[in-house]
């Protein structure tokens, strides 16, 4: 073989080895290279959980439903920075709320006092706002039925505290007849501690009392006559709708008390009354044992 032919064969061998060494990568190799060259996708940040402070801030600049004495026909008040006024020169102010999960949905709720000043008149109502974690536009929804009230020469809320499933209300009650001659500054002679939660009945939120007995969870006025009528035939429920939980069954002897008109609670024709019976007894004799229900 001539020198030229030998050189050509050597060059051909080198080219063949180079071609074999640079053969296309396998599919697995391509996947590995792609994973190494592609930067990690940024993690989507979780939406912060709704807090009581979020609700407290939001309700300072929104509309409220307000029902005088906790039982009268409600009207709307538009708040700005926690204060408002109406056409009758009455002023309103939002107080500090208490956090709990009142309806058991795992989202924080807030019980909040709102005060009304009307010349020398004063009243404060406690309302529950249900947190709404799925709607950034509507942070919370008001339960339009107040759970407690303070009025001049009337009931006084001493405290509202969080419980595992709602709120506990400690209140001093102004009792008909027996407190007529008392000084307003001394307050009423009745005492009552009650626990409330929030239930859904036909898509509407209602407060329900769970302790010391199951009953209506909103404001419960006393009878002006204190003339309980024994009855063992009535079936009573915890809220106005007919599908609300039953709290008195036929065969249970209770004393029934007729109450003054309560337009907020009877607009659908439900009967609103007070009751007490064996199931409402308590070891604390200072506790007022009259509660409210619907029939």
């Amino acid at each position: 073989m001539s020198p030229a032919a030998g050189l050509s064969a050597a060059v051909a061998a080198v080219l063949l080895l180079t071609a074999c060494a640079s053969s296309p990568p396998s599919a697995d190799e391509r996947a590995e290279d792609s994973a190494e060259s592609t930067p990690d996708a940024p993690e989507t940040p979780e939406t912060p959980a709704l807090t009581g402070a979020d609700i407290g801030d939001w309700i300072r600049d929104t509309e409220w439903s307000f029902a005088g004495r906790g039982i009268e026909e409600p009207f709307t008040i538009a708040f700005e920075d926690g204060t408002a006024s109406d056409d009758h020169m009455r002023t309103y102010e939002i107080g500090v709320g208490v956090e709990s999960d009142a309806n058991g949905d795992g989202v924080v709720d807030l019980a909040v006092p709102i005060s009304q000043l009307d010349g020398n008149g004063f009243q404060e109502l406690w309302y529950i706002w249900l947190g709404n974690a799925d709607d950034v536009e509507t942070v919370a929804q008001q339960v339009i039925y107040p759970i407690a009230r303070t009025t001049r020469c009337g009931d006084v809320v001493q405290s509202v505290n969080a419980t595992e499933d709602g709120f506990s209300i400690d209140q001093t009650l102004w009792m008909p007849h027996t407190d007529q001659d008392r000084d307003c500054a001394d307050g009423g002679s009745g005492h009552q501690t009650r626990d409330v939660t929030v239930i859904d009945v036909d898509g509407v939120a209602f407060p329900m009392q769970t302790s010391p007995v199951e009953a209506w969870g909103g404001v419960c006025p006393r009878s002006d006559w204190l003339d309980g009528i024994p009855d063992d035939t009535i079936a009573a429920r915890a809220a106005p709708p007919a599908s609300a939980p039953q709290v008195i069954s036929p065969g249970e002897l209770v004393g029934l008390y007729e109450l003054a008109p309560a337009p907020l609670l009877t607009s659908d024709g439900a009967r609103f009354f007070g009751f007490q019976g064996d199931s409402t007894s308590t070891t604390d004799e200072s506790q007022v044992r009259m509660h409210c229900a619907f029939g």
Side-chain angles (χ1 to χ4, degrees):
M1 180 182 295
S2 67
L7 178 62
S8 298
V11 170
V14 169
L15 292 176
L16 179 60
L17 291 173
T18 302
C20 292
S22 59
S23 60
S26 66
D28 290 341
E29 291 173 334
R30 290 196 300 270
E32 290 178 2
D33 292 341
S34 176
E36 291 175 357
S37 61
T38 302
D40 292 338
E43 294 183 2
T44 302
E46 294 184 2
T47 302
L50 184 69
T51 67
D54 295 332
I55 298 175
D57 290 341
W58 187 80
I59 62 177
R60 290 175 61 82
D61 292 287
T62 193
E63 292 185 340
W64 285 58
S65 175
F66 187 90
R69 299 190 304 121
I71 58 174
E72 296 174 0
E73 190 73 30
F75 56 92
T76 301
I77 309 168
F79 277 87
E80 292 185 6
D81 196 24
T83 62
S85 60
D86 62 24
D87 295 338
H88 301 284
M89 304 301 292
R90 297 174 297 197
T91 58
Y92 302 83
E93 185 173 358
I94 298 171
V96 179
V98 178
E99 297 181 26
S100 185
D101 180 6
N103 60 352
D105 65 352
V107 179
V108 68
D109 307 314
L110 205 64
V112 189
I114 172 177
S115 61
Q116 179 200 70
L117 186 62
D118 183 10
N120 291 328
F122 174 84
Q123 62 176 319
E124 181 181 72
L125 302 177
W126 281 81
Y127 283 95
I128 296 175
W129 284 80
L130 300 175
N132 186 355
D134 299 325
D135 189 343
V136 295
E137 297 295 329
T138 305
V139 172
Q141 186 73 35
Q142 183 186 12
V143 180
I144 68 169
Y145 307 97
I147 59 174
R149 68 181 180 184
T150 292
T151 59
R152 186 175 181 274
C153 287
D155 301 343
V156 176
V157 177
Q158 301 295 342
S159 66
V160 174
N161 297 295
T163 64
E164 185 176 348
D165 58 359
F167 302 95
S168 177
I169 304 161
D170 185 14
Q171 54 191 8
T172 300
L173 304 180
W174 192 269
M175 305 303 293
H177 302 300
T178 58
D179 292 345
Q180 284 184 341
D181 297 328
R182 292 175 66 90
D183 190 293
C184 288
D186 295 335
S189 61
H191 175 241
Q192 190 178 68
T193 302
R194 45 194 292 268
D195 294 344
V196 299
T197 186
V198 173
I199 59 174
D200 182 286
V201 183
D202 301 335
V204 179
F206 293 95
M208 178 175 174
Q209 179 176 298
T210 57
S211 177
V213 298
E214 292 188 342
W216 167 239
V219 170
C220 176
R222 261 73 57 219
S223 169
D224 292 331
W225 302 278
L226 297 177
D227 54 351
I229 301 173
D231 193 311
D232 64 357
T233 65
I234 192 167
R237 53 190 184 271
S243 55
Q246 187 168 288
V247 295
I248 302 175
S249 302
E252 180 180 352
L253 181 62
V254 294
L256 300 182
Y257 298 84
E258 294 299 330
L259 302 175
L264 172 67
L265 309 175
T266 57
S267 59
D268 63 352
R271 179 191 174 196
F272 182 57
F273 54 86
F275 73 92
Q276 71 174 33
D278 290 341
S279 63
T280 65
S281 61
T282 175
T283 56
D284 185 352
E285 291 302 324
S286 68
Q287 288 274 335
V288 173
R289 294 192 292 269
M290 200 200 85
H291 306 278
C292 289
F294 297 84

